[in-house]
Amino acid sequence: MAIVKIWLIIMLATFASWYVLKWINNPKPLAWVFLFWLGVIGATTVLLYLVSVFLVA
């Protein structure tokens, strides 16, 4: 269930960011915005995991 929530957050962030970029006359392809948010969420997840492993060890 958590993976579904993460995908929903990524999709909502993608569409919101894409719409704001379009609104301020700086449109980017939807795929690039999606990949950006996928990378941000992925990197945050990995960093939090590494910090938790470091603190336990």
Side-chain angles (χ1 to χ4, degrees), residues 22-56:
K22 186 177 166 187
W23 186 58
I24 63 171
N25 265 346
N26 190 10
K28 302 285 185 225
L30 189 61
W32 285 115
V33 178
F34 173 75
L35 288 174
F36 169 77
W37 284 113
L38 189 64
V40 167
I41 302 282
T44 303
T45 304
V46 168
L47 286 174
L48 287 174
Y49 175 75
L50 291 176
V51 166
S52 70
V53 168
F54 176 75
L55 291 176
V56 169

Side-chain angles (χ1 to χ4, degrees), residues 2-37:
I3 194 76
V4 173
K5 290 179 184 177
I6 291 173
W7 278 108
L8 277 172
I9 290 171
I10 290 173
M11 296 309 270
L12 287 173
T14 297
F15 287 119
S17 300
W18 180 75
Y19 184 73
V20 168
L21 285 168
K22 186 177 166 187
W23 186 58
I24 63 171
N25 265 346
N26 190 10
K28 302 285 185 225
L30 189 61
W32 285 115
V33 178
F34 173 75
L35 288 174
F36 169 77
W37 284 113

